[in-house]
Amino acid sequence: MLDKVKHCFCYHCRALMPTATALTLEVDGHTRLLCCSGCMAAVQFINALDLQSYYDFRDKCAPVAGLTAHAAGAGQTLPELAFADAIEELADGRRALRLLIPDLRCAACVWLLEQVLGRQRGVEQVQVSFASRRLRVEFNPAEGTSVPAIAHLVQRLGYQPEPDLPDAGRQSFASHQRNMLIRLGVAGIGMMPVMMFALPAYLAGGAAEVASASNAAAMDPLSAALLRWASLALSTPVVLYSAFPFHRGAWYALRHRSLSTDLPVSIAILAAFLLSVVNTLNQVSEVYFDTACMFTFFLLLGRYAELQSRRHFQESQDLMSKLLPLTVRRVNSSNEETVPLRDVDVGDLLRVLPGETIPADGVVVSGRSSVSDSAFTGEPLPSVRQPGARVLAGATNHDGELVIRARTQPQDFVLAQINRLFEQASQYRPHWSRLADRAASWFIGAVLVLAAAAGIFWELRGADNALIIALTVLVVACPCALSLATPVASTVATTTLRRRGVVIRNGAFLERAAATTAVVFDKTGTLTEAQLHIDRIVPLHTLDTQACLAIATALERHSHHPIARAFACDTALTASAVVTVPGQGVEGEIAGVHYRLGIVGFAWPNIGSRSTTLSPPEQDDGLWVLLAAETPLAWFRLQDVLRDDAAQTVDALRKQGITTAIFSGDSSVAGRHLAETLRVDQLRTGLTPEQKIAAVRALNAGTPVGGQRVMMIGDGVNDAGAMAAADTSIAISPRDVLVQNSADATLLNPNLTLVPDVLRFARRTRRIIRQNIGWSLAYNLSVIPVALLGLLPPWLAALGMSLSSLLVVMNAWRLRRMED
């Protein structure tokens, strides 16, 4: 669990200390926090000597300086203090460090971090999310691994780690976007005049010289020199500032003997620029400043498009900071106070005014209001909440004032759990993505060799544009689009499902759901509402139906069994000495008469002359319970309500060619009636949890209807094992943590028709991923020969490279809607 202890620095020695144990001292009208009585005495002594300026000089010399010996003795160092709030305390003394890595550039960066960090002593697990730019490292400090060592190693790999704090992701994304726009703007402003300066040289060189960049041989020498020097001045900030991310990525890739998509790009830009600088100094006419600027601008344009594709994901990832208020109104016995949300504890009473956001998961204590859970379910219509109703942090309170009692701390809110599941799912890389990553790394090496070979070949042939051909091959063959093909599509798809109320826990869910051929439903609570109601009362004595119902209601008023909720009527009767017998029924006394309500063997047991041959009026699919005293009084038939959308859901699955089945623990004829109503392909009733698991495995293994890719859908505890046994699973309206953890995905919106929509969407996601990969490979393989023949001008190579990445991103953006 998260380390909830708050820390601060000692005013005197700057040691890190728990805020709760800090001593306080008033100094010049300010409250100062101190770690011990020794530091307090020192501050008082300095203050008595009127030497308070000591602290000002100290701060100017070393703001948040290296720690003193006192702090070092506490085992803390500056890097660890900087990342203190991003550390989780795990079981067995292990720790986890959560970092933001804003400058992750491609799948190769993910691979590099996982490989390098994973080989360090004491590191147990490394998870990198390319979509959210987050890194999570689990390690054991007892083996010598430390937070500073991990942070320093990440820096050595060429990345700038930041602590992953609430709202840090959104701020980092905004900062990265702003920097990217500035670099793109500089590149665009520099590129336009440089290309205009190159235009006279193109025209003066004639059509035969167009392919050789800026040949200014036929121009006036003074004018040509002036244009070259002007191009040098304008292209320098483009190459050194705008293209810096490419150069930095390439440098660190070379340092660690790995290949990334930045490497061929950086080589092409620097080679064009440096050769042009040399030729300008030597007054040689051929310069390629326009080529370097075009490469930079168009490639940055592709990077910016990829960055924008992550905005959709980032907005959903930062739900906690986006939806929840910073402060709440806590109600005490005597007054009301405003406190930070992080200080909310279990049992606190919180007041929520109309129009405000529910600040914590809890239960309504007083008030009545319409509350919208659209942040979770995607359902815009609000529902009425009154005392006893559950509310979730992040929901919107519309038209009434509520007082709620907090049930969990902020780190355990359902919203926080959704964020964790969302992050966990985004770290999964599908099979196609892993293949693309491996192909991209080999492809980059081949591109470098191929470009060098092309340059040498054309140089030996005496071509004037041999270098340009080599640079064009470098750029046009860079597999940027291939590296983006799967991550962007998976990220957009996961985010779209989240907004529709589908939270993915297992990142493989979409990949497996796309292959699903059979869907298995649990009955109670999945295809039915799990809300029993009385649809028939059969009196057996002189009492009428209302009297019998009043007696039954008085008995069940003390029970928490699901059946008890079916008995509800206005009655003044009260029962005493009420005893609930699990699996049998309930008994008690009303006005001196002893009553029993339950199964026939309990309500009318075989005692003396009594007979248990009493049977329900009809043998149908209902649940019959008997009310009895000295004589049987009435039969009650209880029915579970079929979901309104169950038939539509099964019909939609059937149209998709998917086999449907019901595996239920209910042994009544209700299951058979339900199977006939819904026209499912299979029915298994009376199954124990172990038998459900065996039935799912049999269906998966090929019996009785042939080998199937099985999806299990349920909502009860006895479904958890079957969910784990299936290829993939969905929890509908989960009532417990076990189901949510056992299922690969959870429907927060209890709309069952989402199931066929999700399966259709999963297949569509798989299709788009394949389209992206196919397009990327087709583009690279078809354009490389054209570049090798020298038929592709540099500006078109850069534009094509950028457009290929843009096409992949735009194709993935189609997944922002679940419908085709």
Side-chain angles (χ1 to χ4, degrees):
M1 60 179 295
L2 291 174
D3 182 5
K4 294 295 293 178
V5 178
K6 304 295 188 300
H7 291 81
C8 62
F9 293 99
C10 175
Y11 175 67
H12 179 69
C13 70
R14 298 205 174 171
L16 186 69
M17 60 181 178
T19 305
T21 63
L23 303 177
T24 59
L25 179 67
E26 289 292 324
V27 179
D28 293 334
H30 299 282
T31 301
R32 305 299 185 183
L33 300 180
L34 302 159
C35 64
C36 62
S37 57
C39 285
M40 179 177 286
V43 173
Q44 290 173 330
F45 180 69
I46 292 173
N47 193 48
L49 295 176
D50 199 26
L51 294 176
Q52 297 93 333
S53 57
Y54 156 77
Y55 296 103
D56 296 330
F57 288 123
R58 180 195 65 180
D59 293 341
K60 290 178 181 178
C61 292
V64 194
L67 300 180
T68 63
H70 186 111
Q76 299 288 341
T77 59
L78 180 60
E80 181 148 356
L81 295 180
F83 295 102
D85 291 335
I87 300 172
E88 300 177 29
E89 300 295 339
L90 306 177
D92 305 324
R94 297 179 302 114
R95 307 176 89 182
L97 176 63
R98 296 173 289 106
L99 299 175
L100 279 171
I101 315 292
D103 43 359
L104 277 183
R105 292 170 290 277
C106 64
C109 300
V110 175
W111 178 88
L112 180 64
L113 283 168
E114 289 177 340
Q115 295 299 314
V116 175
L117 292 175
R119 295 174 184 175
Q120 304 306 306
R121 181 179 178 183
V123 174
E124 299 180 357
Q125 186 178 30
V126 180
Q127 295 177 328
V128 185
S129 171
F130 178 74
S132 63
R133 270 46 177 187
R134 281 177 164 89
L135 166 67
R136 187 176 187 273
V137 183
E138 292 186 11
F139 62 97
N140 189 347
E143 297 185 23
T145 307
S146 65
V147 171
I150 294 173
H152 180 62
L153 185 56
V154 172
Q155 286 180 322
R156 287 183 59 196
L157 291 174
Y159 308 101
Q160 300 300 317
E162 302 172 9
D164 186 5
L165 305 176
D167 205 35
R170 185 169 57 86
Q171 293 177 0
S172 176
F173 181 85
S175 175
H176 191 48
Q177 183 183 42
R178 183 168 55 253
N179 290 336
M180 181 73 78
L181 276 174
I182 294 174
R183 294 183 192 277
L184 187 61
V186 170
I189 293 172
M191 179 190 70
M192 288 185 287
V194 169
M195 290 187 68
M196 286 192 296
F197 293 160
L199 184 61
Y202 277 103
L203 297 176
E209 302 294 333
V210 169
S212 62
S214 303
N215 189 332
M219 291 181 62
D220 174 73
L222 184 60
S223 299
L226 180 61
L227 290 177
R228 286 196 298 269
W229 282 102
S231 298
L232 171 60
L234 290 169
S235 61
T236 297
V238 175
V239 172
L240 299 184
Y241 173 72
S242 296
F244 178 74
F246 302 123
H247 307 324
R248 182 180 58 191
W251 168 247
Y252 283 111
L254 291 175
R255 280 187 56 187
H256 296 279
R257 300 178 182 178
S258 66
L259 297 177
S260 73
T261 54
D262 289 330
L263 187 58
V265 170
S266 178
I267 291 175
I269 294 172
L270 287 177
F273 178 73
L274 292 176
L275 180 61
S276 300
V277 171
V278 171
N279 286 351
T280 298
L281 294 175
N282 293 330
Q283 298 184 2
V284 177
S285 59
E286 289 84 3
V287 292
Y288 312 101
F289 293 118
D290 56 327
T291 300
C293 290
M294 281 189 295
F295 282 174
T296 302
F297 177 78
F298 287 124
L299 294 175
L300 279 176
L301 191 63
R303 287 282 175 92
Y304 184 73
E306 187 270 331
L307 179 69
Q308 288 300 104
S309 72
R310 289 194 288 114
R311 175 190 290 275
H312 189 52
F313 177 87
Q314 191 66 48
E315 290 174 351
S316 291
Q317 180 64 30
D318 293 328
L319 283 175
M320 287 287 283
S321 58
K322 182 179 179 181
L323 294 179
L324 297 186
L326 296 177
T327 59
V328 299
R329 298 180 185 86
R330 184 162 60 191
V331 180
N332 297 322
S333 56
S334 58
N335 63 347
E336 181 179 300
E337 59 179 343
T338 300
V339 298
L341 176 62
R342 62 176 178 270
D343 292 341
V344 171
D345 208 347
V346 176
D348 286 351
L349 293 177
L350 309 175
R351 187 182 305 280
V352 187
L353 301 179
E356 293 184 343
T357 299
I358 304 294
D361 289 0
V363 175
V364 177
V365 175
S366 66
R368 177 185 173 91
S369 179
S370 297
V371 176
S372 172
D373 292 324
S374 60
F376 307 93
T377 66
E379 175 58 51
L381 296 178
S383 58
V384 176
R385 306 297 167 86
Q386 51 194 359
R390 183 187 182 190
V391 290
L392 300 177
T396 302
N397 178 32
H398 286 287
D399 50 19
E401 181 177 316
L402 296 175
V403 175
I404 67 172
R405 186 182 304 277
R407 297 286 294 271
T408 60
Q409 293 181 329
Q411 72 269 20
D412 297 321
F413 289 169
V414 169
L415 198 60
Q417 295 177 36
I418 292 173
N419 266 4
R420 288 194 289 269
L421 292 175
F422 196 50
E423 178 66 24
Q424 183 177 341
S426 70
Q427 292 168 352
Y428 175 80
R429 292 203 298 279
H431 174 69
W432 287 94
S433 179
R434 296 191 295 271
L435 289 178
D437 292 348
R438 287 196 291 268
S441 60
W442 285 100
F443 203 78
I444 293 170
V447 165
L448 295 175
V449 174
L450 197 61
I456 294 172
F457 173 80
W458 285 106
E459 183 66 29
L460 294 177
R461 292 289 300 270
D464 295 333
N465 61 344
L467 177 63
I468 285 296
I469 293 175
L471 299 183
T472 302
V473 172
L474 276 178
V475 172
V476 81
C478 184
C480 291
L482 185 62
S483 297
L484 293 174
T486 301
V488 173
S490 297
T491 297
V492 175
T494 302
T495 307
T496 300
L497 287 177
R498 161 67 193 87
R499 291 188 168 182
R500 286 290 298 271
V502 183
V503 178
I504 297 176
R505 183 188 67 85
N506 188 337
F509 172 75
L510 279 172
E511 191 175 9
R512 295 173 182 173
T516 295
T517 59
V519 173
V520 176
F521 294 94
D522 178 48
K523 182 178 76 70
T524 306
T526 303
L527 293 173
T528 66
E529 299 284 359
Q531 295 178 358
L532 295 172
H533 72 285
I534 301 171
D535 73 337
R536 186 179 177 190
I537 303 175
V538 181
L540 301 176
H541 199 55
T542 57
L543 295 178
D544 61 16
T545 57
Q546 287 301 317
C548 292
L549 180 59
I551 294 171
T553 299
L555 291 172
E556 292 287 10
R557 189 176 289 156
H558 300 270
S559 175
H560 297 288
H561 194 278
I563 289 179
R565 291 195 291 267
F567 293 88
C569 73
D570 294 330
T571 177
L573 297 179
T574 58
S576 60
V578 177
V579 176
T580 300
V581 181
Q584 302 291 313
V586 61
E587 60 181 324
E589 291 187 5
I590 301 175
V593 180
H594 190 81
Y595 294 94
R596 286 189 173 196
L597 176 67
I599 63 174
V600 63
F602 170 77
W604 189 247
N606 186 8
I607 302 174
S609 62
R610 293 180 181 179
S611 173
T612 57
T613 58
L614 189 65
S615 59
E618 298 176 6
Q619 297 295 330
D620 54 19
D621 59 350
L623 173 63
W624 290 90
V625 295
L626 178 66
L627 174 66
E630 293 298 323
T631 183
L633 298 177
W635 283 105
F636 296 89
R637 185 173 71 174
L638 306 178
Q639 289 276 21
D640 197 356
V641 180
L642 181 68
R643 285 181 184 264
D644 295 335
D645 50 10
Q648 180 184 350
T649 299
V650 174
D651 185 58
L653 291 172
R654 188 184 302 110
K655 290 179 179 178
Q656 293 182 26
I658 293 175
T659 301
T660 56
I662 297 176
F663 291 173
S664 174
D666 188 353
S667 58
S668 72
V669 295
R672 291 193 295 274
H673 177 73
L674 185 64
E676 293 172 358
T677 301
L678 298 179
R679 295 184 299 157
V680 298
D681 299 303
Q682 279 194 65
L683 171 67
R684 299 282 299 276
T685 60
L687 299 180
T688 65
E690 293 75 17
Q691 290 171 332
K692 278 190 180 182
I693 295 173
V696 169
R697 288 175 176 169
L699 183 61
N700 185 270
T703 57
V705 296
Q708 302 277 10
R709 297 286 186 179
V710 181
M711 171 182 283
M712 179 70 194
I713 301 176
D715 82 324
V717 174
N718 61 342
D719 299 320
M723 287 179 173
D727 293 285
T728 189
S729 56
I730 295 178
I732 306 284
S733 301
R735 291 193 296 263
D736 48 79
V737 176
L738 175 64
V739 173
Q740 197 168 4
N741 287 338
S742 299
D744 294 329
T746 301
L747 292 192
L748 299 178
N749 185 339
N751 185 357
L752 203 58
T753 57
L754 275 176
V755 173
D757 291 343
V758 166
L759 293 180
R760 190 183 301 108
F761 183 71
R763 292 192 294 271
R764 183 164 164 249
T765 300
R766 180 179 62 183
R767 184 169 65 250
I768 285 181
I769 288 176
R770 290 176 176 176
Q771 289 173 357
N772 282 350
I773 293 176
W775 156 254
S776 304
L777 290 175
Y779 166 76
N780 286 116
L781 296 178
S782 62
V783 178
I784 288 176
V786 180
L788 288 173
L789 293 174
L791 302 177
L792 192 67
W795 66 269
L796 189 56
L799 182 61
M801 167 76 174
S802 178
L803 289 179
S804 66
S805 297
L806 186 61
L807 180 63
V808 164
V809 170
M810 292 180 66
N811 195 35
W813 276 355
R814 292 166 53 203
L815 293 171
R816 295 183 68 175
R817 295 172 55 89
M818 287 190 67
E819 302 80 11
D820 287 326

